[in-house]
Amino acid sequence: MIAGRGLAGLKTRDLAREIGCANGAVYNLVADIDELILRVGSRTLHRLDEALSAAEGAGESSPQEALVRIAIAYCDFAADNLQLWRALFEHRMGAGKVVPDWSVEDQMRLFRHIYQPLATLFPKRSREELGITARSLFSAVHGMVALGLEQKLVAVPLPALRKEIAGLARAMIDGLIARQR
Amino acid sequence: MIAGRGLAGLKTRDLAREIGCANGAVYNLVADIDELILRVGSRTLHRLDEALSAAEGAGESSPQEALVRIAIAYCDFAADNLQLWRALFEHRMGAGKVVPDWSVEDQMRLFRHIYQPLATLFPKRSREELGITARSLFSAVHGMVALGLEQKLVAVPLPALRKEIAGLARAMIDGLIARQR
DNA sequence: ACTTTTATTGAACAATGTTCATGCTTCTGC
DNA sequence: GCAGAAGCATGAACATTGTTCAATAAAAGT
């Protein structure tokens, strides 16, 4: 239902009807809709993880190009799974509730993909520095994808967005390499 | 109320009580809460515009440094106006409704700040290319600020975030310059 | 002063997440 | 086989919220 009508289109009553049970029975499977959304998010994150892994390995080449491929793969995944991907970031936890550990773990796993090539590129940097850089790179690419797929402001066709992301990703990496010297 | 308790803390009844009128009277001032939120967003965007203008002009220097200052100013504004700034991006229009022109106009104005220095740096590029690059740069910085202030994943202290943003902004710009040659 | 327009009120409606008393299945130990 | 227990399903009911609306009051116009 999230994939079809978006996060806002997920209603407990519709859901109960779809899976063929009463309203209340949903709460035997899940404590909250928060939990339900997190569990869907977990699946999405795992599929995203696979997509990034595939991009990481494909075509042995420089770490630079691996990072660019990962960025493009991220963009493609988001475009192909628009609603599910949006749900990952649109969702806000209900008041007072805290994100469970297993969900945080799912999110953290993403940075691994960026960490690895970065560590090869910058062997002198500490684990912590690399972690921060990895997160920054991810955030930057994520921002481009997020606003690029929003379509509301300026309608940029997907191929142009991919090219733009590849360009800026290369620029960031080149800039980082040049800057460290 | 948005500034205090966040977008989710805005309730029409509380609002009516706060301004001293009946529930329904709110709808003489605004058609929707969507409109209300957009109007608050408009004010936020104007204040943001002023903050970026101040950063743009401060300390005559290279376009590169102007861009970095703008990025930092964006980060600072977001940190100082966290809830209001979040409301700009968290809000999704109610089903079927479309964002009015005046609100889109408000959003577009932001890119001007980035466009100007970019045009100086890359005089050969077309207006359209510059527009796309401006949006990409903005998106990338926005992504860093957004995930950086989220605090949920990794708690990065604000000074570190500012440094990180400045570093990656410089890297992006350097990379773009090097790449064009 | 009377009419017309506008604003205010607060009850009512609809949508939606969540809970719960009641009753029904299914499993367990014998 | 079966009594009791444990779990599950049901759908009504509740709480919260955005929104509407008929009735009423206020203001403006003439």
Side-chain angles (χ1 to χ4, degrees), chain A residues 107 136 153 164 174 179, chain B residues 107 136 153 164 172 174 179:
Chain A
Q107 298 170 36
S136 297
L153 302 185
E164 195 63 20
D174 290 354
R179 184 156 295 279
Chain B
Q107 298 170 36
S136 297
L153 302 186
E164 194 63 18
M172 282 190 280
D174 290 354
R179 185 156 297 279

Side-chain angles (χ1 to χ4, degrees), chain A residues 90 92 107-108 132-133 135-136 138-140 143-144 147 153-154 156 164 170-172 174-176 179, chain B residues 90 92 107-108 132-133 135-136 138-140 143-144 147 153-154 156 164 170-172 174-176 179:
Chain A
E90 278 182 12
R92 293 282 166 264
Q107 298 170 36
M108 292 303 220
I132 293 183
T133 307
R135 217 211 33 177
S136 297
F138 171 81
S139 305
M144 277 189 280
L147 269 66
L153 302 185
V154 190
V156 179
E164 195 63 20
R170 285 203 188 88
M172 283 190 282
D174 290 354
L176 283 178
R179 184 156 295 279
Chain B
E90 276 182 14
R92 294 282 168 264
Q107 298 170 36
M108 292 301 219
I132 293 182
T133 308
R135 216 209 37 173
S136 297
F138 172 82
S139 306
M144 275 189 281
L147 269 65
L153 302 186
V154 190
V156 179
E164 194 63 18
R170 284 203 188 87
M172 282 190 280
D174 290 354
L176 283 177
R179 185 156 297 279

Side-chain angles (χ1 to χ4, degrees), chain A residues 2-170:
Chain A
I2 294 175
R5 293 194 285 281
L7 238 195
L10 175 66
K11 304 292 150 66
T12 55
R13 281 171 177 75
D14 293 351
L15 179 65
R17 191 163 348 107
E18 182 132 349
I19 65 182
C21 70
N23 304 336
V26 171
Y27 295 86
N28 291 330
L29 312 171
V30 196
D32 278 327
I33 38 158
D34 277 343
E35 187 194 329
L36 174 53
I37 292 170
L38 255 38
R39 296 221 115 99
V40 173
S42 183
R43 294 189 183 185
T44 308
L45 282 171
H46 274 88
R47 291 196 304 118
L48 173 55
D49 201 77
E50 284 168 16
L52 297 191
S53 292
E56 201 175 350
E60 289 302 321
S61 57
S62 65
Q64 284 102 314
E65 284 312 305
L67 285 171
V68 173
R69 277 203 310 274
I70 291 172
I72 295 290
Y74 185 73
C75 175
D76 287 344
F77 182 90
D80 291 341
N81 302 271
L82 193 54
Q83 302 281 38
L84 287 170
W85 173 76
R86 274 188 185 152
L88 292 176
F89 300 95
E90 278 182 12
H91 176 58
R92 293 282 166 264
M93 219 59 181
K97 294 168 187 169
V98 72
V99 181
D101 285 344
W102 56 265
S103 184
V104 175
E105 180 63 27
D106 281 339
Q107 298 170 36
M108 292 303 220
R109 240 191 292 275
L110 278 191
F111 295 121
R112 261 192 359 217
H113 296 283
I114 311 172
Y115 185 96
Q116 196 110 324
L118 268 187
T120 311
L121 277 178
F122 306 105
K124 300 250 180 71
R125 295 201 183 185
S126 73
R127 199 183 312 271
E128 196 178 354
E129 281 176 307
L130 284 172
I132 293 183
T133 307
R135 217 211 33 177
S136 297
L137 271 182
F138 171 81
S139 305
V141 171
H142 169 76
M144 277 189 280
V145 174
L147 269 66
L149 294 182
E150 194 86 20
Q151 299 290 68
K152 280 182 192 169
L153 302 185
V154 190
V156 179
L158 184 60
L161 181 61
R162 298 173 92 236
K163 208 169 286 184
E164 195 63 20
I165 287 172
L168 207 52
R170 285 203 188 88

